[in-house]
Amino acid sequence: MHEGNHSVFLKKGHYLAPKYQTANFDDLLVGVTKYKSPTATGVWHSHEKPMISFVLYGSNTEYRKGKITERTAGSVNYYHAYEQHKNEYRQFPSKHISLELDAAFLTKYHYTEEHIEFAVKNSQEAAFTFLKLMNEALADDIQSPHSVEMLFIDFIENRSISHEDTPLPLWMKTVRDVLNDRWNETISLNELAHHVAVHPTTISKYFRRYFRCTLGEYTRKLKVKRSFEIMRNANYSLTETAFMCGFSDQSHFTRTFKAMTGCLPKDYLKF
Protein backbone atom coordinates (compact mmCIF):
# COMPACT_ATOMS: atom_id res chain seq x y z
CA MET A 1 0.00 0.00 0.00
CA HIS A 2 1.42 3.38 -0.95
CA GLU A 3 1.89 5.93 1.83
CA GLY A 4 -0.97 8.42 1.92
CA ASN A 5 -3.53 6.16 0.17
CA HIS A 6 -6.40 4.70 2.19
CA SER A 7 -4.92 6.08 5.40
CA VAL A 8 -6.89 6.04 8.65
CA PHE A 9 -7.16 9.29 10.60
CA LEU A 10 -7.41 8.87 14.37
CA LYS A 11 -8.99 11.49 16.60
CA LYS A 12 -7.54 12.22 20.05
CA GLY A 13 -7.71 9.17 22.31
CA HIS A 14 -8.40 6.68 19.50
CA TYR A 15 -6.05 3.89 18.34
CA LEU A 16 -5.95 0.94 15.95
CA ALA A 17 -5.27 -1.61 18.69
CA PRO A 18 -8.15 -4.02 19.42
CA LYS A 19 -7.89 -3.08 23.08
CA TYR A 20 -6.89 0.25 24.60
CA GLN A 21 -7.48 2.51 27.60
CA THR A 22 -7.10 6.26 27.98
CA ALA A 23 -6.69 8.71 30.85
CA ASN A 24 -7.20 12.40 30.08
CA PHE A 25 -5.09 14.76 32.21
CA ASP A 26 -6.01 18.30 31.17
CA ASP A 27 -3.79 19.04 28.13
CA LEU A 28 -2.14 15.60 28.10
CA LEU A 29 -3.73 12.25 27.33
CA VAL A 30 -2.16 8.94 28.33
CA GLY A 31 -3.17 5.98 26.18
CA VAL A 32 -2.36 2.32 26.79
CA THR A 33 -2.71 0.02 23.77
CA LYS A 34 -2.37 -3.75 23.72
CA TYR A 35 -2.17 -6.44 21.08
CA LYS A 36 -2.85 -9.56 23.14
CA SER A 37 -2.64 -12.17 20.38
CA PRO A 38 -1.57 -12.26 16.70
CA THR A 39 -3.78 -10.05 14.58
CA ALA A 40 -3.54 -8.27 11.23
CA THR A 41 -1.58 -5.00 11.57
CA GLY A 42 0.22 -2.59 9.25
CA VAL A 43 -2.43 0.00 8.39
CA TRP A 44 -1.26 3.45 7.29
CA HIS A 45 -2.63 6.01 9.73
CA SER A 46 -2.07 9.36 11.41
CA HIS A 47 -3.09 11.00 14.68
CA GLU A 48 -4.89 14.27 15.28
CA LYS A 49 -2.47 15.27 18.06
CA PRO A 50 1.33 15.17 18.35
CA MET A 51 2.12 11.91 20.10
CA ILE A 52 4.96 10.05 21.81
CA SER A 53 4.84 6.26 21.84
CA PHE A 54 6.74 3.99 24.25
CA VAL A 55 7.05 0.21 23.72
CA LEU A 56 6.46 -1.33 27.14
CA TYR A 57 6.95 -4.84 25.76
CA GLY A 58 6.67 -6.67 22.46
CA SER A 59 8.00 -5.40 19.14
CA ASN A 60 6.92 -3.97 15.80
CA THR A 61 8.36 -2.71 12.54
CA GLU A 62 7.58 0.95 11.90
CA TYR A 63 7.33 2.50 8.43
CA ARG A 64 7.35 6.26 7.77
CA LYS A 65 9.07 8.90 5.63
CA GLY A 66 10.79 6.19 3.61
CA LYS A 67 12.39 4.88 6.82
CA ILE A 68 11.99 1.47 8.44
CA THR A 69 12.67 1.11 12.18
CA GLU A 70 12.55 -1.94 14.44
CA ARG A 71 10.86 -0.97 17.71
CA THR A 72 11.55 -3.19 20.72
CA ALA A 73 10.90 -2.93 24.46
CA GLY A 74 12.08 0.47 25.69
CA SER A 75 11.86 2.21 22.30
CA VAL A 76 10.38 5.72 22.35
CA ASN A 77 9.26 7.54 19.19
CA TYR A 78 7.76 10.94 18.42
CA TYR A 79 5.00 11.46 15.83
CA HIS A 80 3.93 14.84 14.52
CA ALA A 81 0.21 15.51 14.20
CA TYR A 82 -1.11 14.07 10.90
CA GLU A 83 2.19 12.26 10.22
CA GLN A 84 1.60 9.13 8.13
CA HIS A 85 3.03 5.87 9.48
CA LYS A 86 2.22 2.21 9.97
CA ASN A 87 3.33 -0.50 12.39
CA GLU A 88 3.54 -4.23 11.71
CA TYR A 89 3.59 -6.16 14.97
CA ARG A 90 6.03 -9.07 15.24
CA GLN A 91 5.73 -10.16 18.85
CA PHE A 92 2.65 -10.84 20.95
CA PRO A 93 1.52 -9.81 23.44
CA SER A 94 2.64 -6.26 22.69
CA LYS A 95 1.83 -3.24 24.84
CA HIS A 96 2.51 0.47 24.34
CA ILE A 97 2.04 3.70 26.26
CA SER A 98 1.20 6.84 24.30
CA LEU A 99 1.17 10.48 25.35
CA GLU A 100 -0.88 12.86 23.19
CA LEU A 101 -0.25 16.60 23.48
CA ASP A 102 -2.84 19.35 23.08
CA ALA A 103 -1.77 22.63 21.50
CA ALA A 104 -2.75 24.30 24.79
CA PHE A 105 0.08 22.43 26.55
CA LEU A 106 2.68 23.68 24.07
CA THR A 107 1.34 27.23 24.29
CA LYS A 108 1.20 27.25 28.08
CA TYR A 109 4.86 26.31 28.47
CA HIS A 110 6.17 28.00 25.30
CA TYR A 111 7.27 24.71 23.74
CA THR A 112 7.38 23.82 20.08
CA GLU A 113 7.03 20.37 18.59
CA GLU A 114 10.77 20.60 17.84
CA HIS A 115 11.49 20.88 21.59
CA ILE A 116 9.51 17.72 22.27
CA GLU A 117 10.92 15.75 19.34
CA PHE A 118 14.48 16.71 20.26
CA ALA A 119 13.99 15.63 23.87
CA VAL A 120 12.60 12.25 22.81
CA LYS A 121 15.42 11.57 20.36
CA ASN A 122 18.26 12.70 22.60
CA SER A 123 17.48 11.43 26.06
CA GLN A 124 18.27 8.25 27.92
CA GLU A 125 15.44 9.20 30.28
CA ALA A 126 12.52 8.82 27.86
CA ALA A 127 11.73 5.16 28.64
CA PHE A 128 12.00 5.71 32.39
CA THR A 129 9.83 8.83 32.23
CA PHE A 130 7.09 6.86 30.49
CA LEU A 131 7.09 4.14 33.12
CA LYS A 132 6.70 6.82 35.79
CA LEU A 133 3.93 8.46 33.76
CA MET A 134 2.08 5.15 33.58
CA ASN A 135 2.45 4.64 37.33
CA GLU A 136 0.92 8.07 37.93
CA ALA A 137 -1.88 7.43 35.45
CA LEU A 138 -2.70 4.14 37.15
CA ALA A 139 -2.76 5.84 40.55
CA ASP A 140 -5.63 7.99 39.22
CA ASP A 141 -5.93 10.25 42.26
CA ILE A 142 -6.37 13.99 42.71
CA GLN A 143 -2.64 14.64 42.21
CA SER A 144 -2.24 12.48 39.09
CA PRO A 145 -2.83 15.26 36.51
CA HIS A 146 -0.24 17.51 38.18
CA SER A 147 2.24 14.66 38.60
CA VAL A 148 1.94 13.56 34.97
CA GLU A 149 2.47 17.13 33.76
CA MET A 150 5.40 17.75 36.11
CA LEU A 151 7.16 14.53 35.08
CA PHE A 152 6.83 15.41 31.42
CA ILE A 153 7.95 19.03 31.87
CA ASP A 154 10.99 17.92 33.84
CA PHE A 155 11.85 15.47 31.07
CA ILE A 156 11.61 18.18 28.37
CA GLU A 157 13.57 20.75 30.37
CA ASN A 158 16.44 18.32 30.94
CA ARG A 159 16.88 17.77 27.21
CA SER A 160 15.40 20.81 25.44
CA ILE A 161 17.03 22.46 22.43
CA SER A 162 17.79 25.57 24.43
CA HIS A 163 19.87 23.54 26.87
CA GLU A 164 21.95 21.80 24.23
CA ASP A 165 25.54 23.04 24.20
CA THR A 166 27.27 21.75 21.08
CA PRO A 167 27.06 18.61 18.93
CA LEU A 168 28.93 15.56 20.19
CA PRO A 169 32.57 15.54 19.09
CA LEU A 170 33.64 12.42 17.20
CA TRP A 171 35.56 10.94 20.13
CA MET A 172 32.53 11.31 22.42
CA LYS A 173 30.31 9.63 19.83
CA THR A 174 32.76 6.73 19.91
CA VAL A 175 32.54 6.63 23.72
CA ARG A 176 28.75 6.47 23.44
CA ASP A 177 28.89 3.72 20.82
CA VAL A 178 31.31 1.61 22.85
CA LEU A 179 29.11 1.91 25.94
CA ASN A 180 26.01 0.95 23.95
CA ASP A 181 27.67 -1.95 22.14
CA ARG A 182 29.17 -3.35 25.35
CA TRP A 183 26.24 -2.48 27.62
CA ASN A 184 26.49 -5.65 29.74
CA GLU A 185 30.21 -5.31 30.42
CA THR A 186 32.09 -3.35 33.05
CA ILE A 187 34.29 -0.90 31.16
CA SER A 188 36.75 1.22 33.12
CA LEU A 189 37.36 4.88 32.42
CA ASN A 190 40.97 4.10 31.49
CA GLU A 191 39.83 1.48 28.98
CA LEU A 192 37.42 3.94 27.38
CA ALA A 193 40.11 6.60 27.23
CA HIS A 194 42.53 4.20 25.57
CA HIS A 195 39.87 3.18 23.03
CA VAL A 196 39.21 6.77 21.90
CA ALA A 197 42.78 8.03 22.40
CA VAL A 198 41.95 10.82 24.84
CA HIS A 199 42.99 11.35 28.44
CA PRO A 200 40.65 9.90 31.15
CA THR A 201 40.25 13.34 32.71
CA THR A 202 38.93 14.65 29.38
CA ILE A 203 36.11 12.09 29.43
CA SER A 204 35.39 12.89 33.08
CA LYS A 205 35.30 16.62 32.36
CA TYR A 206 32.94 16.49 29.38
CA PHE A 207 30.79 13.38 29.83
CA ARG A 208 28.21 15.00 32.11
CA ARG A 209 27.97 18.07 29.86
CA TYR A 210 26.92 15.97 26.89
CA PHE A 211 24.88 13.23 28.60
CA ARG A 212 23.50 15.02 31.69
CA CYS A 213 24.64 12.17 33.96
CA THR A 214 27.76 10.43 35.20
CA LEU A 215 29.41 7.54 33.39
CA GLY A 216 28.11 5.12 36.01
CA GLU A 217 24.54 6.44 35.72
CA TYR A 218 24.67 6.17 31.94
CA THR A 219 25.77 2.54 31.96
CA ARG A 220 23.16 1.58 34.57
CA LYS A 221 20.46 3.18 32.42
CA LEU A 222 21.57 1.06 29.47
CA LYS A 223 21.43 -2.10 31.59
CA VAL A 224 17.95 -1.35 32.97
CA LYS A 225 16.58 -0.59 29.49
CA ARG A 226 17.93 -3.90 28.21
CA SER A 227 16.30 -5.70 31.12
CA PHE A 228 12.80 -4.77 29.88
CA GLU A 229 12.89 -7.37 27.13
CA ILE A 230 14.91 -9.98 29.01
CA MET A 231 12.47 -10.00 31.94
CA ARG A 232 9.62 -10.85 29.57
CA ASN A 233 11.37 -14.10 28.66
CA ALA A 234 9.84 -16.74 30.93
CA ASN A 235 13.06 -18.75 30.79
CA TYR A 236 14.90 -16.27 33.02
CA SER A 237 14.40 -15.47 36.68
CA LEU A 238 15.05 -12.01 38.08
CA THR A 239 18.36 -13.25 39.48
CA GLU A 240 19.41 -14.49 36.04
CA THR A 241 18.23 -11.24 34.44
CA ALA A 242 20.31 -9.26 36.93
CA PHE A 243 23.49 -11.16 36.05
CA MET A 244 22.77 -11.06 32.29
CA CYS A 245 22.49 -7.27 32.55
CA GLY A 246 25.76 -6.93 34.41
CA PHE A 247 24.48 -6.28 37.96
CA SER A 248 26.31 -7.79 40.91
CA ASP A 249 23.15 -9.41 42.28
CA GLN A 250 19.33 -9.26 42.19
CA SER A 251 19.20 -6.78 45.07
CA HIS A 252 21.41 -4.29 43.21
CA PHE A 253 19.32 -4.75 40.06
CA THR A 254 16.04 -4.24 41.97
CA ARG A 255 17.25 -1.07 43.71
CA THR A 256 18.53 0.44 40.47
CA PHE A 257 15.39 -0.50 38.53
CA LYS A 258 13.13 1.07 41.18
CA ALA A 259 15.19 4.26 41.33
CA MET A 260 15.02 4.74 37.55
CA THR A 261 11.49 3.60 36.74
CA GLY A 262 9.54 4.25 39.94
CA CYS A 263 8.47 0.61 40.16
CA LEU A 264 9.91 -2.76 41.14
CA PRO A 265 10.79 -5.35 38.47
CA LYS A 266 8.01 -7.64 39.72
CA ASP A 267 5.51 -4.76 39.32
CA TYR A 268 6.77 -4.03 35.81
CA LEU A 269 6.04 -7.66 34.89
CA LYS A 270 2.40 -7.16 35.97
CA PHE A 271 1.80 -4.33 33.49
Side-chain angles (χ1 to χ4, degrees):
M1 186 181 292
H2 188 272
E3 181 175 353
N5 293 334
H6 310 293
S7 177
V8 175
F9 173 67
L10 299 170
K11 298 283 283 183
K12 177 182 176 181
H14 290 79
Y15 307 96
L16 294 175
K19 183 177 181 180
Y20 62 85
Q21 297 173 297
T22 60
N24 203 347
F25 299 109
D26 298 326
D27 303 324
L28 301 172
L29 183 140
V30 177
V32 180
T33 58
K34 188 170 185 179
Y35 290 85
K36 201 169 184 179
S37 56
T39 184
T41 59
V43 177
W44 284 105
H45 64 284
S46 62
H47 298 267
E48 179 186 19
K49 304 292 183 181
M51 187 183 79
I52 306 167
S53 175
F54 165 62
V55 181
L56 182 63
Y57 54 81
S59 65
N60 66 81
T61 303
E62 175 202 81
Y63 300 83
R64 59 170 164 169
K65 297 178 182 176
K67 183 179 179 182
I68 301 176
T69 304
E70 296 301 323
R71 303 187 67 216
T72 57
S75 296
V76 184
N77 295 78
Y78 179 81
Y79 300 95
H80 291 275
Y82 304 101
E83 181 177 7
Q84 300 283 336
H85 61 283
K86 70 174 181 177
N87 304 83
E88 293 181 352
Y89 289 82
R90 310 294 189 187
Q91 185 179 352
F92 301 91
S94 191
K95 192 170 186 177
H96 301 71
I97 307 168
S98 299
L99 185 69
E100 297 188 53
L101 316 173
D102 280 347
F105 174 82
L106 300 177
T107 301
K108 181 164 58 175
Y109 292 105
H110 306 290
Y111 293 140
T112 65
E113 285 199 47
E114 286 70 28
H115 281 100
I116 312 298
E117 184 176 24
F118 183 90
V120 170
K121 288 182 176 180
N122 294 278
S123 177
Q124 280 287 98
E125 299 295 331
F128 309 129
T129 297
F130 267 78
L131 281 172
K132 292 173 183 176
L133 283 174
M134 189 171 74
N135 285 330
E136 287 295 341
L138 290 173
D140 194 23
D141 58 30
I142 193 171
Q143 298 299 339
S144 291
H146 306 296
S147 297
V148 166
E149 190 167 284
M150 289 170 67
L151 279 168
F152 190 54
I153 291 170
D154 185 59
F155 163 69
I156 298 168
E157 290 295 325
N158 283 335
R159 285 306 304 182
S160 70
I161 292 175
S162 60
H163 291 167
E164 181 68 359
D165 296 316
T166 56
L168 285 179
L170 182 60
W171 64 268
M172 188 59 88
K173 288 182 180 178
T174 304
V175 167
R176 179 195 61 194
D177 293 343
V178 169
L179 292 174
N180 279 267
D181 291 342
R182 298 170 60 184
W183 63 271
N184 60 340
E185 300 179 32
T186 300
I187 307 174
S188 70
L189 179 60
N190 286 335
E191 185 179 354
L192 269 179
H194 177 75
H195 194 91
V196 298
V198 301
H199 198 278
T201 57
T202 303
I203 297 178
S204 296
K205 180 178 179 180
Y206 290 101
F207 192 90
R208 192 175 186 89
R209 173 187 295 183
Y210 290 113
F211 296 107
R212 307 284 197 288
C213 64
T214 66
L215 180 60
E217 289 168 339
Y218 188 90
T219 57
R220 286 190 288 274
K221 288 173 185 176
L222 290 176
K223 296 176 193 294
V224 169
K225 282 184 68 176
R226 294 284 185 161
S227 75
F228 294 162
E229 195 164 1
I230 295 174
M231 279 195 292
R232 293 286 168 184
N233 190 324
N235 295 323
Y236 302 121
S237 66
L238 287 181
T239 298
E240 289 171 318
T241 299
F243 284 116
M244 290 173 69
C245 292
F247 289 95
S248 57
D249 53 42
Q250 183 181 334
S251 178
H252 183 206
F253 169 58
T254 298
R255 289 196 308 273
T256 305
F257 193 97
K258 175 69 183 297
M260 292 185 181
T261 67
C263 64
L264 295 169
K266 65 178 183 180
D267 296 325
Y268 166 79
L269 290 172
K270 295 176 183 177
F271 290 150

